[in-house]
Amino acid sequence: LYARYEPPWLGWECWRIFQVMVLVMIQTLLWEQPLIQANLALLLFLFGLSSQFYAQPYQSDVLDRLDSLAYIFSVVFTLSGMNFFSTDFPFNDVQVWCVAAMLLAYTIFAITQAYLEVSEVRASHIASTKLVKLAASLLDTYRKGHPSTDDGGPIFASTSNLQPPTEPGEVADMEVHDLADEIR
């Protein structure tokens, strides 16, 4: 439940569950008064929207944007629903088309953000793979220039054996150690 949140906001899922619980309570306890339900739900959504804008709890910026946009659309849909139930506003096709257009816009936004997130993850994976290959080739180049250690084995068989230099003459080893730290 908490893996996708930033460290200060690990309990954000509890806040979301509380919001859903309050929304269900509003719906069940005030089922005879839809206008009061809508106003209380609107207040809950606005409070959730302001808390989302304040906290930005997700590690991914895409999830922060999607959650904020979901709150915004909840507010807009609640206001539209208040117009549907009100006797002062006649029901017309314009409101239906506006709601359909908002749903379509949210769907397009969500798909676009998901695509951008996947592209970003893929690009970072490719870049990290190239960096590891480059570091491995640099280590191989260094090993060829310094083929053995005192015990006759290959130098730096793995990066876990690297130790910081302890003698002044070990300057070249220090460069390899710094490279190994960057690889880790």
Side-chain angles (χ1 to χ4, degrees):
L1 286 176
Y2 61 87
R4 62 180 177 225
Y5 299 112
E6 293 176 357
W9 303 105
L10 293 178
W12 190 259
E13 195 69 29
C14 295
W15 166 240
R16 295 301 304 259
I17 291 170
F18 176 75
Q19 288 176 331
V20 171
M21 184 181 72
V22 169
L23 192 61
V24 168
M25 286 174 50
I26 289 170
Q27 185 177 5
T28 55
L29 297 177
L30 301 171
W31 64 275
E32 292 178 356
Q33 299 147 345
L35 209 52
I36 294 174
Q37 277 183 343
N39 282 316
L40 290 175
L42 183 63
L43 288 174
L44 182 67
F45 291 143
L46 288 172
F47 189 71
L49 178 64
S50 64
S51 66
Q52 169 65 28
F53 278 146
Y54 171 75
Q56 299 289 310
Y58 297 101
Q59 290 178 350
S60 168
D61 290 338
V62 172
L63 289 177
D64 282 329
R65 287 191 294 265
L66 282 175
D67 203 25
S68 298
L69 195 64
Y71 273 118
I72 290 169
F73 277 106
S74 296
V75 167
V76 171
F77 289 145
T78 303
L79 288 172
S80 298
M82 291 168 73
N83 287 340
F84 288 146
F85 280 109
S86 177
T87 57
D88 297 335
F89 295 100
F91 181 77
N92 59 32
D93 289 338
V94 174
Q95 289 175 335
V96 173
W97 282 108
C98 287
V99 170
M102 286 186 291
L103 280 172
L104 180 64
Y106 181 74
T107 303
I108 290 171
F109 179 80
I111 290 171
T112 304
Q113 290 296 313
Y115 173 76
L116 292 174
E117 180 73 10
V118 168
S119 298
E120 196 174 290
V121 168
R122 188 177 304 143
S124 67
H125 175 70
I126 291 170
S128 64
T129 303
K130 288 180 180 179
L131 181 63
V132 167
K133 288 179 182 179
L134 176 66
S137 71
L138 288 173
L139 282 173
D140 286 342
T141 303
Y142 180 79
R143 286 181 191 144
K144 289 176 185 174
H146 301 84
S148 65
T149 60
D150 293 338
D151 62 354
I155 189 166
F156 301 124
S158 72
T159 57
S160 63
N161 294 333
L162 294 177
Q163 298 294 324
T166 55
E167 298 177 17
E170 295 181 7
V171 175
D173 291 343
M174 179 181 237
E175 293 171 355
V176 173
H177 177 70
D178 292 340
L179 179 62
D181 284 342
E182 290 179 21
I183 293 171
R184 285 188 204 144

